[in-house]
Amino acid sequence: MIPEKINEVHFQNLVKKLGYLFLAFLILTLVLFAFLLFFSSISACFKNTNVVQKELYVPIEKDSTLEIEIAKFWKPAMIDTITDPTLKKQVEYGQELIAHTAKYLGPNGSVKKITNGMNCNNCHLDAGTKPWGNNYGSVYSMYPKMRARSGQVENLYKRISDCMERSLNGQNIDEDSKEMKAMIAYIEYIGKNVPKGQEAIASGIYNLEYLERAADPIKGKQLYEVLCSKCHMVNGQGILAQDKKEYIYPPLWGNNSFNQGAGLYRISRFAGYIKYNMPKGATYRNPQLSNEEAWDIAAYVETQARPIKDYSQDWPDISKKPIDHPFGPFSDKFTEKQHKFGPFKPIRKAHPNK
């Protein structure tokens, strides 16, 4: 073979080898790239799984803690376990009076006509048994007790009478009446499982943390119209039942609501009350309002007109007034407006023993 031809063949073979080598390098590069891409995806998947697991773990842990806490809440003694038929009948009547007060003592009541048409149940939910629903869990265990509002030791009769005169804007009934005895029997019985002198867990109203600012009735009005007016109406007058004897949803202000001497007229009491009970269906496990929303709605409701109660004899020692008591005189330099709407932290700081 001539030399020129031999050189040409060698050159062609070299080009082929280089072509194969380049192709192999290209394939290897693509394989390596694909492997790295796959590996990073797998790693990201595992990382995301860890994040998801972590995100799931925190709520589960919170839920577990919450359930443990709720398990310790006070539960009323069961009426069905009463073996004495006379006592059982009396306690059941007391429960009925608490749940449907107006049917017996309201403007169209069958026993007397001495209240505004609201039921005790409107403020003491589930006939006084709902956790943080202003329940009666600690009433029997703590009464009789000294109350700074009256400046005297009060028994359970006096406490119920206060509610009738203030929250129901009505008149009290005789201590020896069938109705008063029944209500006392009911409250005492469902709270008998709490040792004397001790407070039940989740009894009464939740003490809501103070805001850094004053509660805002203007914001509260906007929230009320969106969240509350469906049941309590835009005008705050509630919804009366068809029989005109009691309210399906109670009035929050106006002539038929609680008066200015009622406990719920204190903004902290109203805010704490609605936090875990309103709107309808809210519970401690599933609240529907933020703290700020609860304070602002309370501020709006408490600015509305309602019956006036002579409270001139309340708080004989003004230094013992709650820091959110809405009426003066006070034993400090803060204004009546700040005592009503806050901010309360400066007042609280000035009264460390309250």
mmCIF file of all heavy atoms in Angstrom, residues 189-218:
data_model
loop_
_atom_site.group_PDB
_atom_site.id
_atom_site.type_symbol
_atom_site.label_atom_id
_atom_site.label_comp_id
_atom_site.label_asym_id
_atom_site.label_seq_id
_atom_site.Cartn_x
_atom_site.Cartn_y
_atom_site.Cartn_z
ATOM 1 N N TYR A 189 -75.215 20.800 94.596
ATOM 2 C CA TYR A 189 -75.029 19.392 94.226
ATOM 3 C C TYR A 189 -73.999 19.222 93.119
ATOM 4 O O TYR A 189 -73.103 18.382 93.229
ATOM 5 C CB TYR A 189 -76.351 18.752 93.786
ATOM 6 C CG TYR A 189 -76.168 17.275 93.518
ATOM 7 C CD1 TYR A 189 -76.177 16.351 94.564
ATOM 8 C CD2 TYR A 189 -75.905 16.813 92.236
ATOM 9 C CE1 TYR A 189 -75.942 15.003 94.340
ATOM 10 C CE2 TYR A 189 -75.671 15.463 92.000
ATOM 11 C CZ TYR A 189 -75.691 14.566 93.050
ATOM 12 O OH TYR A 189 -75.431 13.232 92.821
ATOM 13 N N ILE A 190 -74.096 20.015 92.050
ATOM 14 C CA ILE A 190 -73.156 19.807 90.939
ATOM 15 C C ILE A 190 -71.727 20.201 91.323
ATOM 16 O O ILE A 190 -70.767 19.749 90.701
ATOM 17 C CB ILE A 190 -73.575 20.571 89.664
ATOM 18 C CG1 ILE A 190 -73.565 22.079 89.891
ATOM 19 C CG2 ILE A 190 -74.927 20.075 89.178
ATOM 20 C CD1 ILE A 190 -73.767 22.882 88.617
ATOM 21 N N GLY A 191 -71.585 21.003 92.381
ATOM 22 C CA GLY A 191 -70.240 21.398 92.814
ATOM 23 C C GLY A 191 -69.741 20.676 94.038
ATOM 24 O O GLY A 191 -68.678 21.015 94.575
ATOM 25 N N LYS A 192 -70.471 19.649 94.463
ATOM 26 C CA LYS A 192 -70.102 18.964 95.701
ATOM 27 C C LYS A 192 -68.806 18.168 95.571
ATOM 28 O O LYS A 192 -68.223 17.756 96.579
ATOM 29 C CB LYS A 192 -71.235 18.035 96.141
ATOM 30 C CG LYS A 192 -71.410 16.800 95.265
ATOM 31 C CD LYS A 192 -72.408 15.833 95.863
ATOM 32 C CE LYS A 192 -72.449 14.517 95.083
ATOM 33 N NZ LYS A 192 -73.223 13.482 95.766
ATOM 34 N N ASN A 193 -68.351 17.926 94.356
ATOM 35 C CA ASN A 193 -67.122 17.156 94.158
ATOM 36 C C ASN A 193 -65.860 18.012 94.262
ATOM 37 O O ASN A 193 -64.758 17.521 94.033
ATOM 38 C CB ASN A 193 -67.151 16.443 92.794
ATOM 39 C CG ASN A 193 -67.488 17.376 91.639
ATOM 40 O OD1 ASN A 193 -67.520 18.596 91.799
ATOM 41 N ND2 ASN A 193 -67.756 16.813 90.470
ATOM 42 N N VAL A 194 -66.017 19.293 94.583
ATOM 43 C CA VAL A 194 -64.866 20.177 94.799
ATOM 44 C C VAL A 194 -64.704 20.398 96.300
ATOM 45 O O VAL A 194 -65.651 20.855 96.959
ATOM 46 C CB VAL A 194 -65.060 21.534 94.094
ATOM 47 C CG1 VAL A 194 -63.839 22.426 94.291
ATOM 48 C CG2 VAL A 194 -65.334 21.323 92.612
ATOM 49 N N PRO A 195 -63.541 20.081 96.866
ATOM 50 C CA PRO A 195 -63.340 20.244 98.311
ATOM 51 C C PRO A 195 -63.560 21.680 98.755
ATOM 52 O O PRO A 195 -63.229 22.627 98.032
ATOM 53 C CB PRO A 195 -61.880 19.815 98.518
ATOM 54 C CG PRO A 195 -61.573 18.933 97.349
ATOM 55 C CD PRO A 195 -62.370 19.488 96.203
ATOM 56 N N LYS A 196 -64.112 21.859 99.934
ATOM 57 C CA LYS A 196 -64.356 23.183 100.486
ATOM 58 C C LYS A 196 -63.049 23.979 100.547
ATOM 59 O O LYS A 196 -62.014 23.476 100.941
ATOM 60 C CB LYS A 196 -64.962 23.081 101.887
ATOM 61 C CG LYS A 196 -66.464 22.879 101.901
ATOM 62 C CD LYS A 196 -67.183 24.161 101.471
ATOM 63 C CE LYS A 196 -68.692 24.065 101.643
ATOM 64 N NZ LYS A 196 -69.362 25.317 101.234
ATOM 65 N N GLY A 197 -63.140 25.239 100.147
ATOM 66 C CA GLY A 197 -61.974 26.112 100.181
ATOM 67 C C GLY A 197 -61.083 26.025 98.966
ATOM 68 O O GLY A 197 -60.111 26.778 98.852
ATOM 69 N N GLN A 198 -61.412 25.127 98.031
ATOM 70 C CA GLN A 198 -60.605 24.989 96.820
ATOM 71 C C GLN A 198 -61.393 25.445 95.591
ATOM 72 O O GLN A 198 -62.615 25.364 95.564
ATOM 73 C CB GLN A 198 -60.171 23.531 96.628
ATOM 74 C CG GLN A 198 -59.222 23.034 97.700
ATOM 75 C CD GLN A 198 -58.709 21.638 97.401
ATOM 76 O OE1 GLN A 198 -58.688 21.202 96.252
ATOM 77 N NE2 GLN A 198 -58.292 20.934 98.441
ATOM 78 N N GLU A 199 -60.654 25.925 94.595
ATOM 79 C CA GLU A 199 -61.290 26.347 93.355
ATOM 80 C C GLU A 199 -61.174 25.247 92.306
ATOM 81 O O GLU A 199 -60.116 24.641 92.152
ATOM 82 C CB GLU A 199 -60.643 27.636 92.830
ATOM 83 C CG GLU A 199 -60.963 28.852 93.684
ATOM 84 C CD GLU A 199 -60.583 30.154 92.996
ATOM 85 O OE1 GLU A 199 -60.185 30.091 91.821
ATOM 86 O OE2 GLU A 199 -60.700 31.212 93.624
ATOM 87 N N ALA A 200 -62.251 25.010 91.598
ATOM 88 C CA ALA A 200 -62.254 24.017 90.531
ATOM 89 C C ALA A 200 -61.466 24.535 89.335
ATOM 90 O O ALA A 200 -61.418 25.742 89.085
ATOM 91 C CB ALA A 200 -63.690 23.704 90.113
ATOM 92 N N ILE A 201 -60.833 23.645 88.620
ATOM 93 C CA ILE A 201 -60.087 24.022 87.422
ATOM 94 C C ILE A 201 -61.065 24.358 86.290
ATOM 95 O O ILE A 201 -62.013 23.629 86.046
ATOM 96 C CB ILE A 201 -59.146 22.885 86.981
ATOM 97 C CG1 ILE A 201 -58.124 22.595 88.082
ATOM 98 C CG2 ILE A 201 -58.426 23.245 85.679
ATOM 99 C CD1 ILE A 201 -57.229 21.404 87.796
ATOM 100 N N ALA A 202 -60.815 25.490 85.641
ATOM 101 C CA ALA A 202 -61.658 25.989 84.535
ATOM 102 C C ALA A 202 -63.036 26.419 85.017
ATOM 103 O O ALA A 202 -64.009 26.344 84.271
ATOM 104 C CB ALA A 202 -61.790 24.963 83.419
ATOM 105 N N SER A 203 -63.105 26.895 86.254
ATOM 106 C CA SER A 203 -64.391 27.398 86.740
ATOM 107 C C SER A 203 -64.474 28.901 86.530
ATOM 108 O O SER A 203 -63.460 29.589 86.368
ATOM 109 C CB SER A 203 -64.555 27.081 88.233
ATOM 110 O OG SER A 203 -63.607 27.808 89.009
ATOM 111 N N GLY A 204 -65.690 29.410 86.501
ATOM 112 C CA GLY A 204 -65.883 30.840 86.334
ATOM 113 C C GLY A 204 -65.549 31.312 84.931
ATOM 114 O O GLY A 204 -65.876 30.676 83.937
ATOM 115 N N ILE A 205 -64.838 32.448 84.861
ATOM 116 C CA ILE A 205 -64.490 33.083 83.591
ATOM 117 C C ILE A 205 -62.977 33.132 83.443
ATOM 118 O O ILE A 205 -62.255 33.378 84.414
ATOM 119 C CB ILE A 205 -65.072 34.513 83.521
ATOM 120 C CG1 ILE A 205 -66.609 34.459 83.510
ATOM 121 C CG2 ILE A 205 -64.561 35.266 82.301
ATOM 122 C CD1 ILE A 205 -67.269 35.822 83.610
ATOM 123 N N TYR A 206 -62.502 32.905 82.230
ATOM 124 C CA TYR A 206 -61.068 32.914 81.958
ATOM 125 C C TYR A 206 -60.501 34.325 82.125
ATOM 126 O O TYR A 206 -61.092 35.303 81.668
ATOM 127 C CB TYR A 206 -60.817 32.426 80.530
ATOM 128 C CG TYR A 206 -59.366 32.212 80.198
ATOM 129 C CD1 TYR A 206 -58.739 31.017 80.517
ATOM 130 C CD2 TYR A 206 -58.619 33.211 79.573
ATOM 131 C CE1 TYR A 206 -57.405 30.801 80.213
ATOM 132 C CE2 TYR A 206 -57.290 33.008 79.263
ATOM 133 C CZ TYR A 206 -56.685 31.811 79.585
ATOM 134 O OH TYR A 206 -55.362 31.618 79.291
ATOM 135 N N ASN A 207 -59.363 34.433 82.810
ATOM 136 C CA ASN A 207 -58.688 35.720 82.970
ATOM 137 C C ASN A 207 -57.834 35.987 81.740
ATOM 138 O O ASN A 207 -56.722 35.475 81.613
ATOM 139 C CB ASN A 207 -57.824 35.724 84.227
ATOM 140 C CG ASN A 207 -58.660 35.713 85.492
ATOM 141 O OD1 ASN A 207 -59.652 36.433 85.593
ATOM 142 N ND2 ASN A 207 -58.277 34.895 86.454
ATOM 143 N N LEU A 208 -58.352 36.794 80.847
ATOM 144 C CA LEU A 208 -57.684 37.064 79.581
ATOM 145 C C LEU A 208 -56.528 38.043 79.792
ATOM 146 O O LEU A 208 -56.650 39.016 80.536
ATOM 147 C CB LEU A 208 -58.693 37.657 78.597
ATOM 148 C CG LEU A 208 -58.378 37.556 77.109
ATOM 149 C CD1 LEU A 208 -58.230 36.103 76.683
ATOM 150 C CD2 LEU A 208 -59.495 38.223 76.301
ATOM 151 N N GLU A 209 -55.424 37.782 79.110
ATOM 152 C CA GLU A 209 -54.244 38.633 79.235
ATOM 153 C C GLU A 209 -54.564 40.054 78.775
ATOM 154 O O GLU A 209 -55.251 40.270 77.789
ATOM 155 C CB GLU A 209 -53.104 38.060 78.383
ATOM 156 C CG GLU A 209 -51.804 38.841 78.488
ATOM 157 C CD GLU A 209 -50.702 38.246 77.632
ATOM 158 O OE1 GLU A 209 -50.929 37.179 77.023
ATOM 159 O OE2 GLU A 209 -49.622 38.857 77.562
ATOM 160 N N TYR A 210 -54.041 41.035 79.522
ATOM 161 C CA TYR A 210 -54.270 42.435 79.164
ATOM 162 C C TYR A 210 -53.547 42.789 77.867
ATOM 163 O O TYR A 210 -52.462 42.285 77.590
ATOM 164 C CB TYR A 210 -53.776 43.371 80.268
ATOM 165 C CG TYR A 210 -54.538 43.267 81.562
ATOM 166 C CD1 TYR A 210 -53.864 43.160 82.778
ATOM 167 C CD2 TYR A 210 -55.931 43.279 81.584
ATOM 168 C CE1 TYR A 210 -54.550 43.071 83.975
ATOM 169 C CE2 TYR A 210 -56.624 43.193 82.769
ATOM 170 C CZ TYR A 210 -55.938 43.088 83.971
ATOM 171 O OH TYR A 210 -56.622 42.987 85.146
ATOM 172 N N LEU A 211 -54.145 43.700 77.099
ATOM 173 C CA LEU A 211 -53.507 44.214 75.897
ATOM 174 C C LEU A 211 -52.494 45.296 76.269
ATOM 175 O O LEU A 211 -52.551 45.877 77.353
ATOM 176 C CB LEU A 211 -54.553 44.817 74.956
ATOM 177 C CG LEU A 211 -55.675 43.905 74.446
ATOM 178 C CD1 LEU A 211 -56.590 44.714 73.512
ATOM 179 C CD2 LEU A 211 -55.108 42.701 73.722
ATOM 180 N N GLU A 212 -51.601 45.596 75.337
ATOM 181 C CA GLU A 212 -50.663 46.699 75.524
ATOM 182 C C GLU A 212 -51.367 48.039 75.284
ATOM 183 O O GLU A 212 -50.882 49.087 75.705
ATOM 184 C CB GLU A 212 -49.481 46.566 74.551
ATOM 185 C CG GLU A 212 -48.609 45.330 74.784
ATOM 186 C CD GLU A 212 -47.873 45.388 76.106
ATOM 187 O OE1 GLU A 212 -47.655 46.497 76.636
ATOM 188 O OE2 GLU A 212 -47.513 44.304 76.620
ATOM 189 N N ARG A 213 -52.492 48.000 74.624
ATOM 190 C CA ARG A 213 -53.252 49.208 74.282
ATOM 191 C C ARG A 213 -54.617 49.165 74.955
ATOM 192 O O ARG A 213 -54.991 48.180 75.602
ATOM 193 C CB ARG A 213 -53.433 49.295 72.768
ATOM 194 C CG ARG A 213 -54.202 48.106 72.184
ATOM 195 C CD ARG A 213 -54.542 48.332 70.731
ATOM 196 N NE ARG A 213 -55.170 47.189 70.080
ATOM 197 C CZ ARG A 213 -56.459 46.876 70.161
ATOM 198 N NH1 ARG A 213 -57.289 47.620 70.894
ATOM 199 N NH2 ARG A 213 -56.932 45.815 69.521
ATOM 200 N N ALA A 214 -55.350 50.254 74.775
ATOM 201 C CA ALA A 214 -56.731 50.278 75.259
ATOM 202 C C ALA A 214 -57.614 49.474 74.314
ATOM 203 O O ALA A 214 -57.357 49.400 73.108
ATOM 204 C CB ALA A 214 -57.230 51.716 75.335
ATOM 205 N N ALA A 215 -58.632 48.841 74.850
ATOM 206 C CA ALA A 215 -59.612 48.151 74.008
ATOM 207 C C ALA A 215 -60.347 49.199 73.166
ATOM 208 O O ALA A 215 -60.630 50.303 73.641
ATOM 209 C CB ALA A 215 -60.586 47.376 74.873
ATOM 210 N N ASP A 216 -60.642 48.850 71.932
ATOM 211 C CA ASP A 216 -61.150 49.819 70.960
ATOM 212 C C ASP A 216 -62.598 49.501 70.561
ATOM 213 O O ASP A 216 -62.844 48.552 69.815
ATOM 214 C CB ASP A 216 -60.250 49.793 69.724
ATOM 215 C CG ASP A 216 -60.566 50.911 68.739
ATOM 216 O OD1 ASP A 216 -61.680 51.465 68.792
ATOM 217 O OD2 ASP A 216 -59.694 51.224 67.911
ATOM 218 N N PRO A 217 -63.560 50.309 71.021
ATOM 219 C CA PRO A 217 -64.965 50.034 70.666
ATOM 220 C C PRO A 217 -65.282 50.234 69.185
ATOM 221 O O PRO A 217 -66.220 49.632 68.676
ATOM 222 C CB PRO A 217 -65.745 51.037 71.527
ATOM 223 C CG PRO A 217 -64.767 52.088 71.907
ATOM 224 C CD PRO A 217 -63.433 51.430 71.960
ATOM 225 N N ILE A 218 -64.492 51.040 68.479
ATOM 226 C CA ILE A 218 -64.728 51.240 67.044
ATOM 227 C C ILE A 218 -64.374 49.965 66.279
ATOM 228 O O ILE A 218 -65.136 49.488 65.426
ATOM 229 C CB ILE A 218 -63.914 52.441 66.517
ATOM 230 C CG1 ILE A 218 -64.393 53.724 67.189
ATOM 231 C CG2 ILE A 218 -64.044 52.543 64.999
ATOM 232 C CD1 ILE A 218 -63.601 54.958 66.814
#
